[in-house]
Amino acid sequence: MATGLRRTGATGPSNGADSGRRRGRHPSSPAPDRATALHVAVNTALAGHGIRYTAHRRRLVTALSDAGQPLTIPQLVDAASTVPLSSVYRNLAIFDEAGIVHRMPGTDDFARYELAEELMGHHHHLVCSNCGAVEDVVLPAEAEQDLEDVLRSIARERGFTLASHRLDLVGDCGNCDARSA
């Protein structure tokens, strides 16, 4: 493994490992039954790499799930306040290797992390080119299908086989736009 991970036997999700400070749940984040399914899926993915699903890892997954947007490391440390900074860095590397998180380069100095699409569902992003804020956007099913059709057509015209797509809408967020007015 590239991160030099210590492999141990997999265990189930730990009890009582909530993040302590919870923000409003993101519309696409799991409801209680889906939250359980999310933690089972993460536990399974980690077990496939011989890694235990510890209380700190569970808190980080909960914080990412509840955020409603990709988070910078400082935001993740704030959201999972009981997890030490060194554990956040180490666990993000583990999650990345196990395919649990997606790292997004930012328009500012910070990368952002979110749970992988396979865990949270397909969505797009609004990205502020001024302050770097990123917000998740879920398109209505009909609009998503129309977009997929257009993208497949473009890909086909160029001899490319489309497997999936990611769309980032880049502009100024409401806060930055208001400041410039």
Side-chain angles (χ1 to χ4, degrees):
M1 282 187 165
T3 58
L5 302 174
R6 191 180 86 203
R7 294 180 177 266
T8 59
T11 64
S14 59
N15 294 328
D18 203 302
S19 66
R21 289 195 304 179
R22 295 180 67 116
R23 297 189 172 126
R25 195 170 66 234
H26 182 267
S28 68
S29 71
D33 288 340
R34 287 194 41 166
T36 299
L38 169 66
H39 289 293
V40 168
V42 171
N43 183 51
T44 301
L46 289 173
H49 290 274
I51 300 166
R52 293 184 318 119
Y53 193 28
T54 64
H56 281 173
R57 292 178 184 139
R58 185 178 177 91
R59 285 185 192 108
L60 291 172
V61 167
T62 297
L64 288 166
S65 172
D66 289 350
Q69 63 186 24
L71 297 177
T72 63
I73 288 176
Q75 290 169 328
L76 187 53
V77 168
D78 183 51
S81 60
T82 60
V83 180
L85 180 61
S86 61
S87 290
V88 171
Y89 278 102
R90 184 174 53 254
N91 283 306
L92 284 173
I94 290 167
F95 288 168
D96 185 46
E97 189 171 315
I100 293 166
V101 296
H102 170 70
R103 181 183 183 277
M104 289 183 58
T107 59
D108 54 8
D109 292 335
F110 297 100
R112 285 164 172 75
Y113 295 85
E114 65 181 352
L115 292 173
E117 188 172 289
E118 295 77 16
L119 296 171
M120 294 302 291
H122 183 71
H123 63 277
H124 303 285
H125 300 109
L126 298 174
V127 181
C128 181
S129 58
N130 192 26
C131 71
V134 179
E135 182 180 338
D136 288 347
V137 176
V138 177
L139 297 180
E142 186 176 314
E144 186 65 47
Q145 186 59 53
D146 290 345
L147 176 61
E148 183 76 15
D149 292 345
V150 168
L151 294 174
R152 283 195 190 285
S153 176
I154 291 168
R156 191 173 33 253
E157 288 171 7
R158 288 166 176 78
F160 186 82
T161 303
L162 184 67
S164 67
H165 69 269
R166 294 186 188 139
L167 180 63
D168 292 341
L169 304 171
V170 180
D172 289 339
C173 70
N175 290 335
C176 291
D177 202 32
R179 281 186 231 142
S180 67

